[in-house]
């Protein structure tokens, strides 16, 4: 059998790695321009850190890690015989692969709170894992590129994150992205107005699927969760909300006039929209989307989601929001936070489809020493060491080529790697240097060789 890799994972070629690095470097440099600092957290966390933080759907997608050694030795015999996997999991698995970077970041802030100066602006670029159904643009192992601020409740942070999205996508040449924004307080207010406060999570999870399953699908899911037909009828206008951002805000203000929470959300949304309008965006559009709910439990204020240009059929390429109480789940109360994430893999697919990747130079040596004469190997290796000391990327072809066929193989290697200079032989302590671009060849000393290649 041929070897294979698990579904939802991928190998990356040198060109793909270079293209991914191009995207990550654009994101990282923009993060740092906006004042963010890098941190990293472990690839796996204690299960207790992750479970219960992403809602019922999220918990099902967390990859659990079996305990080391004989993990069944301490398992309850009754649970084993009953094959109760849900209860058994807690006994045989104490750790899990991280599902995202936000909850581990909250854990980090609480654990290192005495070392951190607030507001704390951090960015993180690391892989995460989800036991999701693989499809185009959705993988089980993928990188997230996150930026968060904790310790500030100012709405200027939301404004800055919108500018951050715009700056990154402008740098990548991705014109026409749509930054969608909503506010969780508005969703709470709507649930209050229609008398479904106790079904807020079910309501928002269903509403968030409008673009995927349509109005009929959303209505069906809401009914299945116990939301009444009368309540759904009151919320029906949300399924086809139109007009400018200010038109939508005015409509929401009228709809939520009896909800204090809802009106607060409208005021926050109006501030962000008006401020961004005054500052302007370079290539992105900002759009109020009242169906944007995101199923995660921890958002409490603004909610963001970024859509690719309409010419590309792709899911969201970024998202985030305000989480006033996220660190509270780990015992640190009253620390407000807001953050966003970039979907590296989906951004890659969008740039690829639109032909927006700039030509990338793969790592390649500037000079290679061919191996036609074993007697000169040590001289060549000493020259390579001297060149590398000067920062010149240098390589030695390891296999001796004595036949015409073997020597042709070495020249073919030079061409396939695109190497600019070749030392083919050594003569009286000097090196025969060939410029592969011009085809010219000359005999030079080691000192001249270094000077020419530096």
């Amino acid at each position: 059998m041929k070897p294979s890799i698990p579904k939802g994972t991928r190998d990356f070629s040198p060109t793909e790695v270079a293209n991914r690095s191009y995207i990550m470097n654009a994101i990282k440099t923009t993060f740092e321009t906006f004042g963010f600092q890098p941190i990293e957290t472990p690839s796996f966390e204690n299960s207790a850190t992750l479970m219960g933080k992403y809602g019922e759907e999220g918990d099902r997608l967390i990859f659990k890690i079996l305990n080391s050694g004989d993990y069944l030795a301490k398992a309850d015999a009754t649970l084993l015989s009953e094959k109760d996997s849900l209860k058994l999991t807690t006994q045989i698995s104490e750790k899990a692969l991280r599902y995202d970077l936000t909850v581990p970041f909250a854990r980090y802030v609480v654990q290192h709170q005495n070392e951190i100066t607030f507001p704390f602006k951090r960015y993180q670029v690391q892989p995460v894992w989800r036991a999701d159904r693989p499809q185009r643009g959705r993988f089980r192992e993928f990188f997230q590129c996150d930026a968060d601020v904790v310790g500030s409740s100012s709405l200027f942070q939301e404004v800055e994150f919108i500018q951050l999205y715009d700056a990154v996508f402008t740098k990548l040449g991705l014109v026409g992205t749509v930054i969608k924004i909503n506010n969780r307080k508005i969703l709470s207010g709507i649930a209050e107005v229609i008398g479904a406060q106790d079904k807020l999570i079910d309501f928002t999870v269903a509403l968030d699927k409008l673009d995927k399953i349509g109005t009929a699908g959303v209505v069906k899911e809401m009914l299945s969760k116990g939301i009444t037909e009368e309540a759904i009828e009151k919320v029906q206008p949300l399924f086809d909300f139109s007009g400018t951002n200010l038109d939508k805000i005015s409509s929401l203000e009228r709809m939520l006039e009896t909800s204090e929470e809802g009106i607060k959300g409208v005021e926050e949304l109006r501030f962000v929209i008006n401020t961004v309008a005054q500052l302007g965006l370079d290539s992105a559009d900002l759009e109020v989307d009242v169906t944007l709910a995101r199923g995660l439990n921890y958002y409490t204020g603004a909610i963001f989601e970024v859509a690719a240009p309409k010419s590309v059929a792709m899911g969201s390429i970024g998202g985030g929001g305000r989480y006033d109480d996220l660190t509270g789940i780990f015992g640190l109360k009253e620390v407000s936070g807001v953050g966003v994430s970039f979907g590296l893999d989906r951004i890659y697919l969008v740039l690829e489809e639109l032909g927006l990747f700039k030509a990338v130079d793969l790592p390649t040596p500037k000079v290679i020493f061919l191996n036609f004469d074993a007697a000169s190997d040590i001289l060549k290796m000493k020259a390579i060491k001297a060149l590398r000391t000067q920062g010149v990327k240098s390589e030695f072809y390891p296999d001796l080529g004595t036949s015409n066929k073997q020597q042709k193989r070495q020249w073919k290697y030079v061409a396939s790697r695109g190497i600019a200079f070749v030392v083919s032989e050594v003569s009286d302590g000097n090196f025969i240097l060939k410029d592969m671009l011009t085809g010219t060849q000359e005999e030079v000393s080691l000192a001249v060789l270094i000077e020419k290649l530096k």
Side-chain angles (χ1 to χ4, degrees), residues 163-347:
Q163 291 182 303
L164 175 66
Y165 268 136
D166 181 51
V168 168
F169 292 124
T170 299
K171 184 174 289 189
L172 292 172
L174 193 56
V175 177
T177 56
V178 180
I179 304 168
K180 299 180 181 181
I181 185 172
N182 196 11
N183 193 297
R184 195 65 178 237
K185 295 182 179 71
I186 289 173
L187 294 169
S188 298
I190 293 169
E192 179 186 342
V193 168
I194 66 174
Q197 299 98 312
D198 59 330
K199 301 285 185 180
L200 174 61
I201 298 300
D202 293 330
F203 168 74
T204 55
V205 167
L207 190 62
D208 196 38
K209 297 177 182 177
L210 183 64
D211 60 338
K212 301 180 184 73
I213 61 178
T215 300
V218 170
V219 170
K220 183 178 179 181
E221 181 164 334
M222 286 184 175
L223 288 171
S224 72
K225 296 295 185 179
I227 298 173
T228 66
E229 290 186 12
E230 183 183 358
I232 294 172
E233 189 175 332
K234 290 180 180 177
V235 85
Q236 198 79 29
L238 295 180
F239 298 152
D240 190 26
F241 229 40
S242 59
T244 67
N245 286 335
L246 293 179
D247 290 339
K248 292 175 183 177
I249 290 172
S250 296
S251 297
L252 286 169
E253 195 168 34
R254 290 191 296 271
M255 182 185 293
L256 299 171
E257 60 184 359
T258 60
S259 169
E260 184 179 344
E261 177 87 346
I263 290 298
K264 187 177 180 183
V266 171
E267 290 171 352
E268 291 180 3
L269 190 59
R270 179 183 281 116
F271 175 86
V272 173
I273 293 295
N274 286 340
T275 306
V276 170
Q278 291 178 65
L279 295 172
L281 296 175
D282 292 327
S283 67
D285 294 316
L286 182 61
E287 176 185 307
V288 172
D289 184 351
V290 291
T291 68
L292 178 60
R294 300 183 68 86
L296 305 183
N297 287 342
Y298 47 72
Y299 291 130
T300 57
I303 310 166
F304 302 110
E305 191 165 277
V306 183
K310 293 178 182 177
S311 59
V312 183
M314 181 65 66
S316 65
I317 57 175
R322 166 75 64 174
Y323 44 86
D324 283 340
D325 57 358
L326 184 63
T327 55
I329 59 179
F330 299 119
L332 184 60
K333 303 292 185 182
E334 298 179 2
V335 177
S336 184
V338 59
V340 297
S341 180
F342 290 80
L344 171 66
D345 299 290
R346 290 188 177 184
I347 294 170

Side-chain angles (χ1 to χ4, degrees), residues 93-210:
S93 173
E94 297 171 355
K95 298 176 183 64
L97 293 177
R98 60 174 172 240
Y99 175 92
D100 72 354
L101 299 178
T102 306
V103 170
F105 171 55
R107 190 266 309 152
Y108 175 94
V109 170
V110 174
Q111 196 168 339
H112 299 275
Q113 57 186 287
N114 295 326
E115 307 153 30
I116 292 172
T117 301
F118 293 98
F120 180 48
K121 301 177 73 171
R122 87 79 167 89
Y123 77 82
Q124 200 170 345
V125 179
Q126 288 186 277
V128 299
W129 295 266
R130 296 182 185 181
D132 214 342
R133 183 172 63 86
Q135 53 186 284
R136 183 173 184 268
R138 178 173 292 177
F139 306 97
R140 288 176 171 172
E141 178 186 63
F142 57 98
F143 267 76
Q144 281 191 341
C145 309
D146 283 14
D148 290 78
V149 182
V150 291
S152 171
S153 58
S154 169
L155 292 175
F156 280 110
Q157 302 293 358
E158 278 83 341
V159 172
E160 284 235 298
F161 277 119
I162 292 169
Q163 291 182 303
L164 175 66
Y165 268 136
D166 181 51
V168 168
F169 292 124
T170 299
K171 184 174 289 189
L172 292 172
L174 193 56
V175 177
T177 56
V178 180
I179 304 168
K180 299 180 181 181
I181 185 172
N182 196 11
N183 193 297
R184 195 65 178 237
K185 295 182 179 71
I186 289 173
L187 294 169
S188 298
I190 293 169
E192 179 186 342
V193 168
I194 66 174
Q197 299 98 312
D198 59 330
K199 301 285 185 180
L200 174 61
I201 298 300
D202 293 330
F203 168 74
T204 55
V205 167
L207 190 62
D208 196 38
K209 297 177 182 177
L210 183 64

Side-chain angles (χ1 to χ4, degrees), residues 411-424:
W411 285 108
K412 185 178 180 181
Y413 180 82
V414 172
S416 67
R417 293 289 307 278
I419 301 172
F421 294 93
V422 174
V423 172
S424 56

